[in-house]
Amino acid sequence: MPSLPIVLADGIARFDIFTKALEKKLNLPENKLTDQLEYFKGVKGHLESHGFTVFHPDVLFAGSVDKRAEQLRDRVNKVLTTSGSEKVHIIAHSMGGLDARHMIVDKGMADRVATLTTIGAPHHGSPVADHLEKPGGSLLLEVLSNVIQVDLEGVADLTTD
């Protein structure tokens, strides 16, 4: 019996955004080098070498948990269609754990996910996000958002509130 596909859900502000943009612009095929540049460095290749089917879905860089959960849901549904499987396993890091949990509970995906493993997910919030939501931090976020031209709404979803 083939194993269920594995979906790797990344955290906020994933550091591989520049390499992903370059890969897309140059239309590079996925290979061992690109696997080493992914958010989950080498994990996909390692799992695939042990017979698993693994997917790295892209979600917003730092968008809200709600938006990222919707994108994750869409990616998981695509994985299910592509693989012919009825369920997936999800391994999620940091905010990806919140995205996956929200997707499962609030986006109707409980029957499509066999397991969810979270690593370093801020289930009780992050003190760093608390500081970024204060006046000095919010100014920093505003400047950063304007400089890199990305949605940073997700920081507010990471507070301890």
Side-chain angles (χ1 to χ4, degrees), residues 66-85:
D66 192 59
K67 288 178 186 174
R68 288 169 50 102
E70 287 176 1
Q71 289 181 320
L72 183 59
R73 177 198 60 209
D74 295 346
R75 304 312 191 272
V76 167
N77 281 330
K78 186 175 180 180
V79 166
L80 293 169
T81 299
T82 301
S83 68
S85 182

Side-chain angles (χ1 to χ4, degrees), residues 1-157:
M1 176 178 170
S3 62
L4 298 175
I6 297 172
V7 173
L8 302 173
D10 60 69
I12 192 169
R14 54 180 226 266
F15 49 81
D16 67 343
I17 192 148
F18 300 113
T19 56
K20 296 297 281 180
L22 186 60
E23 287 172 20
K24 190 173 188 177
K25 186 169 183 73
L26 298 176
N27 200 26
L28 296 174
E30 193 171 292
N31 58 52
K32 287 183 181 185
L33 174 61
T34 59
D35 185 44
Q36 292 300 309
L37 299 174
E38 291 283 349
Y39 183 92
F40 286 91
K41 181 182 176 184
V43 171
K44 182 177 189 284
H46 177 78
L47 291 170
E48 287 177 340
S49 74
H50 287 83
F52 294 95
T53 304
V54 184
F55 297 87
H56 281 136
D58 286 329
V59 296
L60 286 170
F61 179 75
S64 69
V65 167
D66 192 59
K67 288 178 186 174
R68 288 169 50 102
E70 287 176 1
Q71 289 181 320
L72 183 59
R73 177 198 60 209
D74 295 346
R75 304 312 191 272
V76 167
N77 281 330
K78 186 175 180 180
V79 166
L80 293 169
T81 299
T82 301
S83 68
S85 182
E86 292 184 17
K87 294 186 177 200
V88 298
H89 295 293
I90 298 177
I91 300 172
H93 176 252
S94 190
M95 187 176 184
L98 304 183
D99 302 336
R101 193 179 75 198
H102 185 55
M103 178 199 75
I104 292 165
V105 173
D106 300 316
K107 302 291 180 186
M109 295 294 286
D111 62 336
R112 309 305 308 255
V113 178
T115 63
L116 169 61
T117 302
T118 64
I119 304 162
H123 294 292
H124 296 288
S126 166
V128 172
D130 291 343
H131 289 293
L132 289 173
E133 286 294 300
K134 291 180 181 173
S138 61
L139 177 61
L140 173 65
L141 286 176
E142 184 179 334
V143 169
L144 186 58
S145 178
N146 289 329
V147 169
I148 61 175
Q149 299 292 304
V150 296
D151 174 5
L152 297 175
E153 288 178 18
V155 172
D157 290 341

